[in-house]
């Protein structure tokens, strides 16, 4: 397992912190506003390389909003996506993490009803309460489309881009819907359930058609997380580690050592199934030493999380070696 971290903001200081923590691989978190030419991607890779990091994971891009909803321009977005995969593969990027939620809010319909809930020691964290959803101002002008049509759009997208991903030696890793609701704000969501991912991974058996295994999303739905690691063995391209307390309709996000999931059992399952891909902490509470509003990505909480995950990974690997795994 290769531990990495999102640097927020991705300035030189935070990137140097990653190297000091033993991180060797960079996650570039948002590619949606980049120009199409390969020179912009070359510059990103060069910047990480200057810090001593190898760029291997790209998240949240390139844009696919027209593809998701089947709107005019989806063909152009698809062709741009394929060209970008070629550039990324040339630079050594191994995983492109994406989601297939309607892109109508700032973070593609990853919705929380509060960002100022409190967890251990008064640290600020995010929460979701279904009963509070109606009170939020989540107005949008997106025209809903039927669920079957969204599935058609996803299948068409994968049939179009998987060959390009294979040629570039890049894995496409679809992130689950968060929260895992089949509909939100009148718009369908098709990547939230176990059955959804069985279907998605069945669209193409290529290793390039993979998933971002977000533990928090599946914990929100109340699933046995180690069992899902084993269920999707070989199809996991990237792992996000976070935990919660509660259930899909009322939960808060927690420190990784303070939630309801047995994370050591999850890491044991990752070792047993031979997972050797990238893994990072995903959302961390805001500590008293941090400035600004809580967005889940302040560095101090993630530095703690990274150390905790490294301990889990080392212990699971050593246990596996001792039992012949």
């Amino acid at each position: 397992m290769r531990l990495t971290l999102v640097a927020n903001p991705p300035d030189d200081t935070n990137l140097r912190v990653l190297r000091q923590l033993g991180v060797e691989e960079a996650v570039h978190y948002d590619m949606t506003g980049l120009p199409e030419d390969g020179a912009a991607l070359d510059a990103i890779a060069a910047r990480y390389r200057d810090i001593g990091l190898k760029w291997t994971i790209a998240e949240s891009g390139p844009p696919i909003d027209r593809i998701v909803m089947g709107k005019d321009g989806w063909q152009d977005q698809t062709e741009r996506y394929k060209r970008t995969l070629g550039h990324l593969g040339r630079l050594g990027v191994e995983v492109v993490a994406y989601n297939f939620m309607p892109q109508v809010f700032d973070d593609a319909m990853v919705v929380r009803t509060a960002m100022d809930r409190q967890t251990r020691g008064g640290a600020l964290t995010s929460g979701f309460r279904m009963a509070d959803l109606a009170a939020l101002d989540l107005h949008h002008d997106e025209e809903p489309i039927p669920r079957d049509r969204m599935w058609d759009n996803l299948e068409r997208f994968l049939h179009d881009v998987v060959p390009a991903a294979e040629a570039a030696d890049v894995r496409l890793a679809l992130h689950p819907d968060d929260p895992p609701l089949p509909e939100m704000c009148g718009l369908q969501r098709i990547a939230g359930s176990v059955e959804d991912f069985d279907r998605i991974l069945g669209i193409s058996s290529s290793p390039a058609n993979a998933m971002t295994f977000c533990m928090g999303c599946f914990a929100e739905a109340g699933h046995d997380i180690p069992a899902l690691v084993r269920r999707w063995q070989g199809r996991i391209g990237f792992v996000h580690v976070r935990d919660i307390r509660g259930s899909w309709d009322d939960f808060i996000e927690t420190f990784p050592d303070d939630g309801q999931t047995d994370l050591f059992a999850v890491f044991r399952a990752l070792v047993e199934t031979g997972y050797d891909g990238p893994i990072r902490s995903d959302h961390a509470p805001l500590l008293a030493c941090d400035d600004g509003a809580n967005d889940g990505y302040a560095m101090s909480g993630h530095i703690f999380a990274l150390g905790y995950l490294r301990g889990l990974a080392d212990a699971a690997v050593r246990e596996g070696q001792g039992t012949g795994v």
Side-chain angles (χ1 to χ4, degrees):
M1 284 175 278
R2 296 137 50 193
L3 294 181
T4 184
L5 196 62
V6 171
N8 182 38
D11 55 31
D12 287 352
T13 297
N14 283 338
L15 292 176
R16 285 197 299 270
V17 167
L18 298 194
R19 284 297 299 122
Q20 292 166 359
L21 294 171
V23 171
E24 298 180 349
E25 302 180 45
V27 178
H28 192 79
Y29 189 68
D30 189 357
M31 296 167 49
T32 54
L34 291 177
E36 185 176 347
D37 63 272
L41 301 177
D42 291 344
I44 292 171
R47 181 161 180 264
Y48 289 129
R49 189 166 54 247
D50 289 344
I51 300 290
L53 295 164
K54 181 182 179 183
W55 182 21
T56 57
I57 306 107
E59 291 200 47
S60 300
I64 60 171
D65 56 302
R66 310 197 77 80
I67 295 169
V68 171
M69 302 302 286
K71 295 160 66 170
D72 289 344
W74 68 263
Q75 297 98 329
D76 290 341
Q77 279 194 339
T78 302
E79 292 306 310
R80 176 182 178 183
Y81 205 99
K82 291 191 289 186
R83 289 192 296 270
T84 302
L85 288 175
H87 290 312
L88 292 173
R90 174 177 54 82
L91 293 170
V93 173
E94 300 174 13
V95 176
V96 173
Y98 71 105
N99 68 73
F100 213 76
M101 291 180 283
Q103 318 276 303
V104 295
F105 303 125
D106 289 342
D107 199 9
M109 291 190 74
V110 174
V111 175
R112 296 292 184 264
T113 56
M115 297 299 293
D116 58 355
R117 301 283 295 275
Q118 292 192 4
T119 186
R120 185 173 62 201
L124 296 182
T125 189
S126 72
F128 177 82
R129 185 180 291 125
M130 190 70 178
D132 296 338
L133 187 60
L136 295 180
D137 182 12
L138 295 178
H139 173 75
H140 64 82
D141 296 319
E142 187 67 74
E143 185 72 25
I145 63 174
R147 190 173 184 83
D148 287 348
R149 185 176 165 196
M150 279 198 73
W151 275 110
D152 290 343
N153 294 343
L154 176 57
E155 291 183 13
R156 181 175 60 196
F157 171 70
L158 289 175
H159 287 313
D160 283 343
V161 302
V162 163
E166 291 173 333
D169 200 20
V170 172
R171 299 192 82 181
L172 302 169
L174 179 57
H175 189 285
D177 299 337
D178 186 14
L181 303 175
E183 179 182 310
M184 181 168 283
C185 304
L187 301 174
Q188 297 296 312
R189 293 145 71 91
I190 60 170
S193 71
V194 171
E195 294 76 19
D196 288 342
F197 270 92
D198 284 344
R199 179 174 175 178
I200 290 161
L201 297 174
I203 292 172
S204 169
S205 61
S206 169
N209 179 33
M211 69 182 300
T212 296
F213 189 85
C214 180
M215 298 182 192
C217 292
F218 293 115
E220 290 161 16
H223 292 299
D224 181 333
I225 311 302
L228 293 184
V229 170
R230 297 181 176 95
R231 182 188 190 99
W232 292 316
Q233 177 178 350
R235 305 304 299 275
I236 298 173
F238 191 22
V239 174
H240 284 183
V241 183
R242 64 179 174 88
D243 206 0
I244 66 155
R245 286 197 302 273
S247 59
W248 68 269
D249 58 344
D250 188 357
F251 66 84
I252 66 167
E253 298 190 279
T254 68
F255 291 102
D257 65 324
D258 196 37
Q260 62 195 40
T261 304
D262 183 347
L263 289 185
F264 183 65
V266 179
F267 274 73
R268 182 187 289 124
L270 290 168
V271 171
E272 289 174 358
T273 57
Y275 180 73
D276 61 357
I279 184 167
R280 75 164 176 87
S281 64
D282 180 34
H283 306 174
L286 185 75
L287 275 64
C289 60
D290 290 312
D291 297 323
N294 174 41
D295 66 357
Y297 282 100
M299 285 296 290
S300 298
H302 281 282
I303 290 171
F304 166 79
L306 180 68
Y308 187 74
L309 301 190
R310 187 175 298 282
L312 290 174
D314 288 350
V317 168
R318 292 188 182 195
E319 180 186 78
Q321 291 171 340
T323 58
V325 173

